Each structure stands twice: as structure tokens, then as C-alpha cells.
Amino acid sequence: MSNITLGDAEEIVGAAHQRAQAVGKAVSVAVVDAGGFPVAIRRADGARPLTPDIARAKAYTAAVMQRPGTMLKKWQESQPVFFAQLSQLPGAALPILATEGSLTIKKDGEIIGGLGIAGGTADEDQQIAEDVLASLGYELEFAAWGVAGRPAADHGKDA
């Protein structure tokens, strides 16, 4: 498993702050590696005090769940008890936040980290994150859960 480098994480953080400033927002940006461990976190002047923690939880979610927060929303809505319990697992370092501004960082088909943006509206956080990752050449497409592989009933046939 590859992880995002410090240099790449700092590039993402810098680009996100530039993009946020261009739209008049003071945000916090967090980048974590594929295991959800912090690589770079920065809070802009004027960003609310809690935003670095929110950004880190968003980045953590995108990395360890291996899907952007927006993809997780329907799952969370359909199984709220399950999602509530995820944050209580012994290995869970942070809450799982299925929300906008939480993007999985993927390069060459491999998940290498997570990005969290907090400080704007949900839509602004999402747009900043998407714009930055797209501009830096990261992949934004993810398969829906459970679509890879063959159905269980087909296993063993025609092998």
C-alpha cells in the first residue's frame, strides 16, 4: 500500500487554501495517509477554532472508508446505528463523518490518503476539495460499493 508523501500533502493543502481564499473562505485543510494518520493539517487565519478537527475527521473518513464522504451518506442514512458504532470501535481514531468536503485521494488506481476541508458551507467545502484534487491530477471516480468481482452465486462456475 502506498501513502501520500509529505510534499504532495503540502501541495494539496497549499492549493486548497489558495482556492478557498479565492472564494472568500477561511478554511482548515487536513491530509491523512491511507491509514488515516495525519500528514499535513493547516488552519487559515480567520478559520473557526474547531475546523481543523472537523477537517481531520473528514480526511480520516475518506481514507479508512476508502470512499468520499458523499458516497457514504446514503449508507449512513440507511444504517445509522452501524455508522454510530463505527466511531466506537477500539481501532477508530476519529469519528466517521459521511459528509461533503471529505474526499479519498486516489492516484493510478490506488488509494493513498484522504482530504478534509472544513470552514465553508458543505457545498463550498466539497467544491474546493474536488477542484484541488482534479487540478493536481488525482482521480475523483470511485466504484459503488460491492460492484467489483462476480456475484456469490457465480463463484466456481466456468473457472
Side-chain angles (χ1 to χ4, degrees):
M1 170 188 292
S2 295
N3 280 306
I4 191 158
T5 66
L6 176 59
D8 288 343
E10 288 176 340
E11 181 180 39
I12 291 169
V13 170
H17 278 290
Q18 277 187 323
R19 178 73 178 110
Q21 188 175 27
V23 296
K25 294 296 171 178
V27 300
S28 288
V29 181
V31 175
V32 301
D33 66 18
F37 295 97
V39 178
I41 302 171
R42 191 166 55 198
R43 179 178 158 248
D45 293 340
R48 293 182 308 278
L50 193 57
T51 58
D53 292 331
I54 297 168
R56 183 173 169 213
K58 287 180 176 185
Y60 173 81
T61 298
V64 301
M65 296 298 288
Q66 300 185 338
R67 292 294 185 278
T70 55
M71 284 187 77
L72 302 173
K73 286 177 88 169
K74 283 191 194 300
W75 187 12
Q76 181 184 36
E77 290 166 3
S78 70
Q79 296 185 1
V81 174
F82 172 76
F83 263 80
Q85 294 305 309
L86 282 177
S87 299
Q88 304 304 313
L89 292 172
L94 293 169
I96 300 296
L97 296 181
T99 190
E100 290 82 357
S102 167
L103 265 71
T104 307
I105 302 172
K106 186 168 85 167
K107 187 103 176 175
D108 299 325
E110 188 172 3
I111 293 168
I112 60 171
L115 168 63
I117 310 276
T121 65
D123 289 339
E124 289 167 338
D125 290 349
Q126 182 71 20
Q127 193 62 56
I128 292 166
E130 287 179 4
D131 289 351
V132 166
L133 290 185
S135 73
L136 295 174
Y138 293 96
E139 299 164 37
L140 297 178
E141 298 297 320
F142 290 85
W145 287 104
V147 296
R150 294 165 41 193
D154 289 343
H155 285 280
K157 292 182 183 175
D158 303 322

